[in-house]
Short mmCIF file of all heavy atoms in Angstrom, two decimals:
data_model
loop_
_atom_site.label_atom_id
_atom_site.label_comp_id
_atom_site.label_asym_id
_atom_site.label_seq_id
_atom_site.Cartn_x
_atom_site.Cartn_y
_atom_site.Cartn_z
N LEU A 1 -13.44 -119.32 79.75
CA LEU A 1 -14.21 -118.12 79.41
C LEU A 1 -15.06 -117.63 80.59
O LEU A 1 -15.43 -116.47 80.65
CB LEU A 1 -15.12 -118.39 78.21
CG LEU A 1 -14.39 -118.65 76.89
CD1 LEU A 1 -15.37 -118.99 75.78
CD2 LEU A 1 -13.54 -117.45 76.49
N ARG A 2 -15.35 -118.52 81.52
CA ARG A 2 -16.08 -118.10 82.72
C ARG A 2 -15.22 -117.23 83.63
O ARG A 2 -15.70 -116.29 84.25
CB ARG A 2 -16.54 -119.33 83.53
CG ARG A 2 -17.70 -120.07 82.91
CD ARG A 2 -18.06 -121.29 83.73
NE ARG A 2 -19.17 -122.01 83.16
CZ ARG A 2 -20.44 -121.84 83.51
NH1 ARG A 2 -20.73 -120.98 84.47
NH2 ARG A 2 -21.41 -122.52 82.92
N LEU A 3 -13.94 -117.59 83.72
CA LEU A 3 -13.00 -116.84 84.54
C LEU A 3 -13.52 -116.67 85.97
O LEU A 3 -13.47 -115.59 86.56
CB LEU A 3 -12.71 -115.48 83.90
CG LEU A 3 -12.07 -115.54 82.51
CD1 LEU A 3 -11.99 -114.15 81.89
CD2 LEU A 3 -10.68 -116.15 82.58
N GLY A 4 -14.04 -117.77 86.51
CA GLY A 4 -14.49 -117.76 87.90
C GLY A 4 -15.89 -117.24 88.11
O GLY A 4 -16.36 -117.18 89.26
N GLU A 5 -16.59 -116.87 87.05
CA GLU A 5 -17.95 -116.33 87.18
C GLU A 5 -18.98 -117.31 86.63
O GLU A 5 -18.75 -117.94 85.61
CB GLU A 5 -18.08 -115.01 86.42
CG GLU A 5 -17.29 -113.86 87.00
CD GLU A 5 -17.59 -112.57 86.26
OE1 GLU A 5 -17.27 -112.48 85.07
OE2 GLU A 5 -18.16 -111.67 86.89
N ASN A 6 -20.12 -117.40 87.31
CA ASN A 6 -21.22 -118.24 86.84
C ASN A 6 -22.47 -117.44 86.50
O ASN A 6 -23.22 -117.81 85.60
CB ASN A 6 -21.57 -119.30 87.89
CG ASN A 6 -20.48 -120.34 88.04
OD1 ASN A 6 -19.84 -120.74 87.07
ND2 ASN A 6 -20.24 -120.79 89.26
N ASP A 7 -22.71 -116.36 87.22
CA ASP A 7 -23.96 -115.61 87.07
C ASP A 7 -24.28 -115.19 85.64
O ASP A 7 -25.44 -115.26 85.22
CB ASP A 7 -23.96 -114.39 87.98
CG ASP A 7 -24.18 -114.75 89.44
OD1 ASP A 7 -24.53 -115.92 89.70
OD2 ASP A 7 -23.99 -113.89 90.31
N PRO A 8 -23.30 -114.72 84.84
CA PRO A 8 -23.66 -114.27 83.49
C PRO A 8 -24.08 -115.39 82.55
O PRO A 8 -24.58 -115.11 81.46
CB PRO A 8 -22.36 -113.61 82.98
CG PRO A 8 -21.57 -113.31 84.20
CD PRO A 8 -21.90 -114.42 85.15
N TYR A 9 -23.91 -116.65 82.96
CA TYR A 9 -24.13 -117.76 82.04
C TYR A 9 -25.17 -118.77 82.50
O TYR A 9 -25.53 -119.67 81.75
CB TYR A 9 -22.80 -118.49 81.80
CG TYR A 9 -21.65 -117.56 81.57
CD1 TYR A 9 -20.65 -117.39 82.52
CD2 TYR A 9 -21.58 -116.80 80.40
CE1 TYR A 9 -19.60 -116.49 82.31
CE2 TYR A 9 -20.54 -115.90 80.19
CZ TYR A 9 -19.56 -115.75 81.15
OH TYR A 9 -18.54 -114.87 80.95
N GLU A 10 -25.66 -118.64 83.73
CA GLU A 10 -26.59 -119.62 84.26
C GLU A 10 -27.96 -118.99 84.52
O GLU A 10 -28.04 -117.85 84.98
CB GLU A 10 -26.03 -120.24 85.55
CG GLU A 10 -24.73 -121.00 85.31
CD GLU A 10 -24.26 -121.76 86.52
OE1 GLU A 10 -24.92 -121.64 87.59
OE2 GLU A 10 -23.24 -122.48 86.42
N PRO A 11 -29.04 -119.74 84.23
CA PRO A 11 -30.39 -119.20 84.39
C PRO A 11 -30.70 -118.86 85.85
O PRO A 11 -30.22 -119.52 86.77
CB PRO A 11 -31.30 -120.32 83.87
CG PRO A 11 -30.47 -121.57 84.00
CD PRO A 11 -29.05 -121.14 83.76
N GLN A 12 -31.54 -117.84 85.99
CA GLN A 12 -31.90 -117.38 87.33
C GLN A 12 -33.22 -117.96 87.81
O GLN A 12 -33.38 -118.20 89.01
CB GLN A 12 -31.99 -115.85 87.33
CG GLN A 12 -30.71 -115.16 86.90
CD GLN A 12 -29.53 -115.52 87.79
OE1 GLN A 12 -29.59 -115.32 89.00
NE2 GLN A 12 -28.46 -116.03 87.20
N ILE A 13 -34.19 -118.20 86.90
CA ILE A 13 -35.48 -118.72 87.36
C ILE A 13 -36.00 -119.91 86.56
O ILE A 13 -36.79 -120.69 87.09
CB ILE A 13 -36.57 -117.61 87.36
CG1 ILE A 13 -36.83 -117.11 85.95
CG2 ILE A 13 -36.20 -116.49 88.32
CD1 ILE A 13 -38.06 -116.22 85.85
N ILE A 14 -35.58 -120.08 85.29
CA ILE A 14 -36.13 -121.16 84.48
C ILE A 14 -35.06 -121.80 83.61
O ILE A 14 -34.21 -121.11 83.05
CB ILE A 14 -37.31 -120.65 83.60
CG1 ILE A 14 -38.01 -121.81 82.89
CG2 ILE A 14 -36.84 -119.59 82.60
CD1 ILE A 14 -39.33 -121.42 82.24
N SER A 15 -35.09 -123.12 83.53
CA SER A 15 -34.12 -123.85 82.73
C SER A 15 -34.75 -124.34 81.43
O SER A 15 -35.93 -124.69 81.40
CB SER A 15 -33.57 -125.05 83.51
OG SER A 15 -34.59 -126.03 83.69
N PHE A 16 -33.95 -124.35 80.39
CA PHE A 16 -34.32 -124.95 79.11
C PHE A 16 -33.17 -125.87 78.71
O PHE A 16 -32.01 -125.46 78.74
CB PHE A 16 -34.55 -123.90 78.03
CG PHE A 16 -35.69 -122.96 78.32
CD1 PHE A 16 -35.45 -121.65 78.68
CD2 PHE A 16 -37.01 -123.39 78.25
CE1 PHE A 16 -36.48 -120.77 78.95
CE2 PHE A 16 -38.05 -122.52 78.52
CZ PHE A 16 -37.80 -121.21 78.87
N GLY A 17 -33.48 -127.08 78.30
CA GLY A 17 -32.42 -128.00 77.93
C GLY A 17 -31.84 -128.71 79.15
O GLY A 17 -32.26 -128.50 80.29
N PRO A 18 -30.83 -129.56 78.91
CA PRO A 18 -30.35 -130.48 79.96
C PRO A 18 -29.33 -129.92 80.94
O PRO A 18 -29.18 -130.47 82.03
CB PRO A 18 -29.72 -131.61 79.15
CG PRO A 18 -29.22 -130.94 77.91
CD PRO A 18 -30.21 -129.86 77.60
N TYR A 19 -28.62 -128.84 80.57
CA TYR A 19 -27.49 -128.43 81.40
C TYR A 19 -27.89 -127.99 82.81
O TYR A 19 -27.14 -128.18 83.76
CB TYR A 19 -26.70 -127.32 80.71
CG TYR A 19 -25.97 -127.78 79.46
CD1 TYR A 19 -25.83 -126.93 78.36
CD2 TYR A 19 -25.42 -129.05 79.36
CE1 TYR A 19 -25.17 -127.33 77.21
CE2 TYR A 19 -24.76 -129.46 78.23
CZ TYR A 19 -24.64 -128.60 77.14
OH TYR A 19 -23.98 -129.01 76.02
N HIS A 20 -29.03 -127.35 82.94
CA HIS A 20 -29.45 -126.85 84.25
C HIS A 20 -30.76 -127.49 84.71
O HIS A 20 -31.37 -127.02 85.67
CB HIS A 20 -29.58 -125.32 84.19
CG HIS A 20 -28.31 -124.64 83.82
ND1 HIS A 20 -27.27 -124.43 84.71
CD2 HIS A 20 -27.86 -124.15 82.62
CE1 HIS A 20 -26.27 -123.83 84.09
NE2 HIS A 20 -26.60 -123.65 82.83
N HIS A 21 -31.14 -128.55 84.03
CA HIS A 21 -32.37 -129.26 84.37
C HIS A 21 -32.30 -129.85 85.77
O HIS A 21 -31.30 -130.45 86.15
CB HIS A 21 -32.61 -130.37 83.35
CG HIS A 21 -33.79 -131.23 83.66
ND1 HIS A 21 -35.08 -130.79 83.53
CD2 HIS A 21 -33.87 -132.52 84.11
CE1 HIS A 21 -35.92 -131.76 83.86
NE2 HIS A 21 -35.21 -132.82 84.22
N GLY A 22 -33.36 -129.66 86.54
CA GLY A 22 -33.45 -130.28 87.85
C GLY A 22 -32.80 -129.53 88.99
O GLY A 22 -32.84 -130.00 90.14
N LYS A 23 -32.20 -128.37 88.72
CA LYS A 23 -31.58 -127.62 89.80
C LYS A 23 -32.65 -127.11 90.77
O LYS A 23 -33.68 -126.56 90.34
CB LYS A 23 -30.77 -126.44 89.24
CG LYS A 23 -29.49 -126.88 88.52
CD LYS A 23 -28.63 -125.70 88.15
CE LYS A 23 -27.29 -126.18 87.56
NZ LYS A 23 -26.42 -125.05 87.17
N PRO A 24 -32.43 -127.29 92.07
CA PRO A 24 -33.46 -126.94 93.06
C PRO A 24 -33.94 -125.50 92.96
O PRO A 24 -35.14 -125.23 93.09
CB PRO A 24 -32.76 -127.22 94.39
CG PRO A 24 -31.75 -128.27 94.07
CD PRO A 24 -31.27 -127.95 92.70
N ARG A 25 -33.04 -124.56 92.70
CA ARG A 25 -33.44 -123.15 92.70
C ARG A 25 -34.30 -122.78 91.50
O ARG A 25 -34.86 -121.68 91.43
CB ARG A 25 -32.21 -122.25 92.76
CG ARG A 25 -31.28 -122.37 91.57
CD ARG A 25 -30.02 -121.52 91.77
NE ARG A 25 -29.08 -121.67 90.69
CZ ARG A 25 -29.13 -121.02 89.54
NH1 ARG A 25 -30.12 -120.16 89.33
NH2 ARG A 25 -28.23 -121.20 88.60
N LEU A 26 -34.42 -123.69 90.52
CA LEU A 26 -35.22 -123.42 89.33
C LEU A 26 -36.54 -124.17 89.33
O LEU A 26 -37.29 -124.12 88.35
CB LEU A 26 -34.42 -123.79 88.07
CG LEU A 26 -33.05 -123.11 87.90
CD1 LEU A 26 -32.34 -123.66 86.66
CD2 LEU A 26 -33.19 -121.60 87.81
N GLN A 27 -36.86 -124.86 90.42
CA GLN A 27 -38.03 -125.73 90.45
C GLN A 27 -39.36 -124.98 90.50
O GLN A 27 -40.40 -125.52 90.12
CB GLN A 27 -37.93 -126.70 91.63
CG GLN A 27 -36.84 -127.74 91.48
CD GLN A 27 -36.92 -128.47 90.15
OE1 GLN A 27 -37.89 -129.17 89.87
NE2 GLN A 27 -35.91 -128.29 89.30
N ASP A 28 -39.34 -123.74 90.97
CA ASP A 28 -40.61 -123.00 91.08
C ASP A 28 -41.28 -122.81 89.73
O ASP A 28 -42.51 -122.69 89.66
CB ASP A 28 -40.36 -121.63 91.73
CG ASP A 28 -40.11 -121.73 93.22
OD1 ASP A 28 -40.38 -122.81 93.78
OD2 ASP A 28 -39.65 -120.74 93.81
N MET A 29 -40.51 -122.78 88.65
CA MET A 29 -41.09 -122.56 87.33
C MET A 29 -41.58 -123.84 86.68
O MET A 29 -42.25 -123.78 85.63
CB MET A 29 -40.06 -121.88 86.41
CG MET A 29 -39.80 -120.43 86.74
SD MET A 29 -41.26 -119.38 86.52
CE MET A 29 -41.50 -119.46 84.74
N GLU A 30 -41.27 -124.98 87.25
CA GLU A 30 -41.67 -126.24 86.63
C GLU A 30 -43.18 -126.37 86.54
O GLU A 30 -43.71 -126.93 85.57
CB GLU A 30 -41.07 -127.43 87.39
CG GLU A 30 -39.56 -127.54 87.27
CD GLU A 30 -39.11 -127.72 85.82
OE1 GLU A 30 -39.55 -128.67 85.16
OE2 GLU A 30 -38.30 -126.88 85.36
N LYS A 31 -43.92 -125.86 87.51
CA LYS A 31 -45.38 -125.98 87.47
C LYS A 31 -45.96 -125.22 86.27
O LYS A 31 -46.98 -125.63 85.70
CB LYS A 31 -46.00 -125.46 88.77
CG LYS A 31 -45.71 -124.02 89.11
CD LYS A 31 -46.39 -123.64 90.42
CE LYS A 31 -46.10 -122.19 90.83
NZ LYS A 31 -44.70 -122.04 91.29
N TYR A 32 -45.30 -124.13 85.88
CA TYR A 32 -45.78 -123.39 84.72
C TYR A 32 -45.55 -124.18 83.43
O TYR A 32 -46.33 -124.06 82.47
CB TYR A 32 -45.09 -122.03 84.63
CG TYR A 32 -45.45 -121.10 85.77
CD1 TYR A 32 -44.55 -120.84 86.79
CD2 TYR A 32 -46.71 -120.49 85.83
CE1 TYR A 32 -44.88 -119.99 87.85
CE2 TYR A 32 -47.05 -119.64 86.87
CZ TYR A 32 -46.13 -119.40 87.88
OH TYR A 32 -46.46 -118.57 88.93
N LYS A 33 -44.49 -124.96 83.39
CA LYS A 33 -44.24 -125.78 82.21
C LYS A 33 -45.38 -126.79 82.02
O LYS A 33 -45.83 -127.02 80.88
CB LYS A 33 -42.90 -126.51 82.33
CG LYS A 33 -41.69 -125.59 82.29
CD LYS A 33 -40.40 -126.39 82.41
CE LYS A 33 -39.18 -125.49 82.40
NZ LYS A 33 -37.91 -126.24 82.52
N TRP A 34 -45.86 -127.38 83.10
CA TRP A 34 -46.97 -128.33 83.01
C TRP A 34 -48.25 -127.63 82.58
O TRP A 34 -49.03 -128.17 81.77
CB TRP A 34 -47.17 -129.05 84.34
CG TRP A 34 -46.10 -130.05 84.64
CD1 TRP A 34 -44.97 -129.88 85.40
CD2 TRP A 34 -46.04 -131.40 84.15
NE1 TRP A 34 -44.21 -131.02 85.41
CE2 TRP A 34 -44.84 -131.98 84.66
CE3 TRP A 34 -46.87 -132.17 83.34
CZ2 TRP A 34 -44.48 -133.29 84.38
CZ3 TRP A 34 -46.51 -133.48 83.06
CH2 TRP A 34 -45.32 -134.04 83.59
N ARG A 35 -48.48 -126.44 83.09
CA ARG A 35 -49.68 -125.69 82.70
C ARG A 35 -49.63 -125.31 81.23
O ARG A 35 -50.65 -125.33 80.52
CB ARG A 35 -49.82 -124.44 83.57
CG ARG A 35 -50.15 -124.73 85.02
CD ARG A 35 -50.21 -123.45 85.84
NE ARG A 35 -50.34 -123.75 87.27
CZ ARG A 35 -50.33 -122.84 88.22
NH1 ARG A 35 -50.20 -121.56 87.90
NH2 ARG A 35 -50.45 -123.19 89.49
N TYR A 36 -48.44 -124.94 80.77
CA TYR A 36 -48.32 -124.54 79.36
C TYR A 36 -48.42 -125.76 78.44
O TYR A 36 -48.89 -125.63 77.29
CB TYR A 36 -47.01 -123.79 79.14
CG TYR A 36 -47.08 -122.32 79.52
CD1 TYR A 36 -47.90 -121.87 80.55
CD2 TYR A 36 -46.34 -121.37 78.84
CE1 TYR A 36 -47.98 -120.53 80.90
CE2 TYR A 36 -46.40 -120.01 79.17
CZ TYR A 36 -47.24 -119.61 80.20
OH TYR A 36 -47.31 -118.27 80.54
N LEU A 37 -47.97 -126.92 78.89
CA LEU A 37 -48.16 -128.14 78.11
C LEU A 37 -49.66 -128.42 77.95
O LEU A 37 -50.13 -128.74 76.85
CB LEU A 37 -47.49 -129.33 78.80
CG LEU A 37 -47.80 -130.71 78.22
CD1 LEU A 37 -47.37 -130.81 76.76
CD2 LEU A 37 -47.16 -131.81 79.06
N GLU A 38 -50.40 -128.28 79.02
CA GLU A 38 -51.85 -128.47 78.97
C GLU A 38 -52.49 -127.46 78.00
O GLU A 38 -53.40 -127.80 77.25
CB GLU A 38 -52.43 -128.31 80.37
CG GLU A 38 -53.92 -128.62 80.46
CD GLU A 38 -54.44 -128.50 81.88
OE1 GLU A 38 -53.84 -127.76 82.69
OE2 GLU A 38 -55.46 -129.16 82.18
N ALA A 39 -51.97 -126.22 78.02
CA ALA A 39 -52.50 -125.19 77.11
C ALA A 39 -52.22 -125.54 75.66
O ALA A 39 -53.07 -125.34 74.77
CB ALA A 39 -51.90 -123.83 77.46
N ILE A 40 -51.03 -126.07 75.38
CA ILE A 40 -50.69 -126.49 74.02
C ILE A 40 -51.65 -127.57 73.55
O ILE A 40 -52.18 -127.53 72.42
CB ILE A 40 -49.23 -126.99 73.96
CG1 ILE A 40 -48.23 -125.83 74.02
CG2 ILE A 40 -48.99 -127.83 72.70
CD1 ILE A 40 -48.11 -125.03 72.75
N LEU A 41 -51.91 -128.56 74.40
CA LEU A 41 -52.79 -129.66 74.02
C LEU A 41 -54.22 -129.18 73.79
O LEU A 41 -54.93 -129.71 72.93
CB LEU A 41 -52.77 -130.75 75.10
CG LEU A 41 -51.42 -131.46 75.30
CD1 LEU A 41 -51.49 -132.40 76.50
CD2 LEU A 41 -51.03 -132.22 74.05
N SER A 42 -54.64 -128.17 74.53
CA SER A 42 -56.01 -127.67 74.39
C SER A 42 -56.18 -126.79 73.15
O SER A 42 -57.31 -126.55 72.71
CB SER A 42 -56.41 -126.88 75.63
OG SER A 42 -55.65 -125.70 75.75
N ARG A 43 -55.08 -126.32 72.57
CA ARG A 43 -55.17 -125.50 71.36
C ARG A 43 -55.66 -126.32 70.16
O ARG A 43 -56.29 -125.78 69.26
CB ARG A 43 -53.82 -124.85 71.04
CG ARG A 43 -53.47 -123.66 71.94
CD ARG A 43 -52.14 -123.04 71.55
NE ARG A 43 -51.84 -121.87 72.38
CZ ARG A 43 -52.20 -120.63 72.11
NH1 ARG A 43 -52.88 -120.38 71.01
NH2 ARG A 43 -51.88 -119.64 72.91
N ASN A 44 -55.30 -127.57 70.14
CA ASN A 44 -55.78 -128.44 69.07
C ASN A 44 -55.96 -129.84 69.67
O ASN A 44 -55.03 -130.64 69.71
CB ASN A 44 -54.79 -128.48 67.91
CG ASN A 44 -55.34 -129.22 66.70
OD1 ASN A 44 -56.33 -129.95 66.80
ND2 ASN A 44 -54.70 -129.04 65.55
N GLU A 45 -57.18 -130.11 70.11
CA GLU A 45 -57.45 -131.37 70.80
C GLU A 45 -57.43 -132.57 69.87
O GLU A 45 -57.46 -133.72 70.33
CB GLU A 45 -58.80 -131.27 71.53
CG GLU A 45 -58.78 -130.22 72.64
CD GLU A 45 -60.11 -130.12 73.37
OE1 GLU A 45 -61.08 -130.79 72.92
OE2 GLU A 45 -60.17 -129.39 74.37
#
């Protein structure tokens, strides 16, 4: 179904789930995930 194409199916800036986890080009958004985890914890301490 890809027919030689990847762009329509792969994340450009942020990964969710295991398939694209850890890809170098998506690492810039990882810091926001940690900040949002902290925000979740602060919503109900």
